[in-house]
Amino acid sequence: MFLLALFILASQTVTGLPYHQRSVLWNTLAGIPISPRQEHATVALEDSVYILGGVVPDPSNTSIYLTTDLVQRYNIREDTWNTLASMPIALNHVNAATVDGKLYVLGALAVASDGAWRATTEASFVYDPSEDAWDVLGSIPIEHARGSASVGVHGTSVHLAGGMRILHAVQGGEQDTVDTVSIYDTLTDTWTSAPGAAAALPEGRNHACSAVVNQTFFVIGGRTEGQVNVKDTVFTLDLEDPAAGWSTRSSRMPTARGGLACGTVENAVYTFGGEGNPANGSKGVFDQVEKYDTLADRWTELAPMPTPVHGTYAAAVSNAIYVPGGGISIGGAAISTLQVLAV
């Protein structure tokens, strides 16, 4: 019933907007329980949206953020949340994907002894929703370990492009960026580098968003070192012929940004929010929503987010895209809000 209501609303127009900004509608749903959340992974599986790990405010000092192992599921039909079995270790900037009804964590950042968030080779496990249980997979080879990668699924393989190995979450702290492209085979629990010219992105990226449309892997926007070195590029890889290497689309995202989220409906990728906005004062967060027609290689601006965020992912189910949590100020300020766009 809830999805049907969303589709009916999506067919209405928002008056007062230019024509190209109509035919979409935002709504706010039941918020994330227990704690505000950001730098978590978001994936969809059947009629549910899952959020994994990330950072949450310390209850005793909300200016301090703690990395969490918390996993929560949002039931779309019931507009309710429940807490699931925790991940084996606490992680942020989680790389996650769903393959054959299971949920995979394939790299992330964890708190190191020096307090920095560093890539860990132990962030490799799989969740079975039917049993509410995690199984630990083989360790990630050090050359493939990172968080904040762009993730795309092709058959039973998961592709990871770019990412970062260190984020020192203090003013001016060290951050890096990699251009590595890896493939994880869910059937054999093995990691390899992408073949030939696909083994590296045209330029390193972290905090980019990603999508797979018609067997093409898209890596959109993102940043290099630091929160303000944001990009507007669209890199693509043909997953049927990865050895041919990466291409750069001629049409660039209208608003360069990192820390953005995106969701895919049919042949279009919708991009949301992000970090590094000099026009937003001290908050530094984007409210932009831009639609990319992957077939026409064309961008369209849509109505902005009701609450601008960065540091989250989006998940599409049918004609709705869910954006849970995120930060409302550059660096931090996590929220519990679940925003949904019907398209």
Side-chain angles (χ1 to χ4, degrees):
M1 291 296 295
F2 180 67
L3 280 178
L4 177 60
L6 269 180
F7 299 152
I8 293 171
L9 289 172
S11 67
Q12 301 172 0
T13 58
V14 182
T15 59
L17 291 174
Y19 179 77
H20 69 278
Q21 292 184 339
R22 301 180 185 178
S23 300
V24 297
L25 190 69
W26 282 100
N27 195 8
T28 301
L29 306 173
I32 302 169
I34 301 179
S35 177
R37 197 88 156 267
Q38 70 179 83
E39 313 307 341
H40 53 277
T42 304
V43 295
L45 191 58
E46 296 180 345
D47 63 349
S48 296
V49 174
Y50 295 74
I51 58 174
L52 304 94
V55 296
V56 298
D58 185 338
S60 63
N61 183 349
T62 55
S63 66
I64 297 175
Y65 277 80
L66 306 174
T67 296
T68 184
D69 58 7
L70 188 61
V71 178
Q72 292 166 293
R73 170 183 177 266
Y74 174 73
N75 186 306
I76 294 170
R77 296 186 182 280
E78 298 178 5
D79 190 28
T80 57
W81 289 87
N82 66 301
T83 300
L84 306 174
S86 297
M87 293 189 300
I89 56 176
L91 299 169
N92 62 65
H93 292 82
V94 179
N95 309 325
T98 58
V99 180
D100 290 339
K102 294 185 178 181
L103 199 160
Y104 287 81
V105 167
L106 300 170
L109 305 183
V111 180
S113 58
D114 63 356
W117 298 341
R118 296 182 182 273
T120 172
T121 60
E122 303 309 306
S124 180
F125 21 84
V126 58
Y127 175 79
D128 186 341
S130 66
E131 299 182 1
D132 187 28
W134 290 92
D135 285 330
V136 176
L137 303 170
S139 296
I140 303 171
I142 189 64
E143 65 270 23
H144 298 299
R146 75 273 203 184
S148 190
S150 296
V151 180
V153 175
H154 182 241
T156 57
S157 296
V158 182
H159 290 66
L160 299 99
M164 63 193 317
R165 295 164 297 194
I166 179 171
L167 195 164
H168 201 167
V170 295
Q171 184 68 32
E174 181 185 1
Q175 300 184 29
D176 75 344
T177 302
V178 301
D179 61 7
T180 307
V181 181
S182 309
I183 302 174
Y184 175 75
D185 187 324
T186 62
L187 297 181
T188 61
D189 187 23
T190 56
W191 291 80
T192 58
S193 296
L201 287 166
E203 183 181 41
R205 290 287 183 272
N206 68 72
H207 286 81
C209 79
S210 56
V212 175
V213 184
N214 298 325
Q215 311 305 319
T216 298
F217 185 19
F218 292 81
V219 175
I220 300 173
R223 67 195 199 206
T224 54
E225 290 81 358
Q227 292 149 306
V228 298
N229 296 317
V230 295
K231 304 297 180 180
D232 59 3
T233 48
V234 180
F235 299 145
T236 64
L237 179 68
D238 182 354
L239 296 178
E240 294 292 309
D241 184 20
W246 290 87
S247 300
T248 301
R249 290 286 176 105
S250 59
S251 180
R252 295 182 174 234
M253 184 167 55
T255 307
R257 45 207 162 115
L260 71 164
C262 62
T264 304
V265 176
E266 296 180 344
N267 295 311
V269 180
Y270 296 76
T271 61
F272 306 98
E275 189 178 29
N277 183 3
N280 189 223
S282 61
K283 288 186 176 296
V285 181
F286 292 97
D287 65 1
Q288 274 80 357
V289 178
E290 293 162 345
K291 173 185 175 183
Y292 179 54
D293 183 330
T294 62
L295 299 182
D297 190 26
R298 182 177 62 241
W299 288 89
T300 304
E301 180 184 357
L302 303 178
M305 301 189 76
T307 303
V309 293
H310 72 93
T312 182
Y313 289 85
V317 179
S318 298
N319 286 354
I321 305 173
Y322 299 82
V323 187
I328 59 172
S329 182
I330 192 166
I335 61 172
S336 299
T337 307
L338 172 58
Q339 303 178 81
V340 60
L341 178 70
V343 298

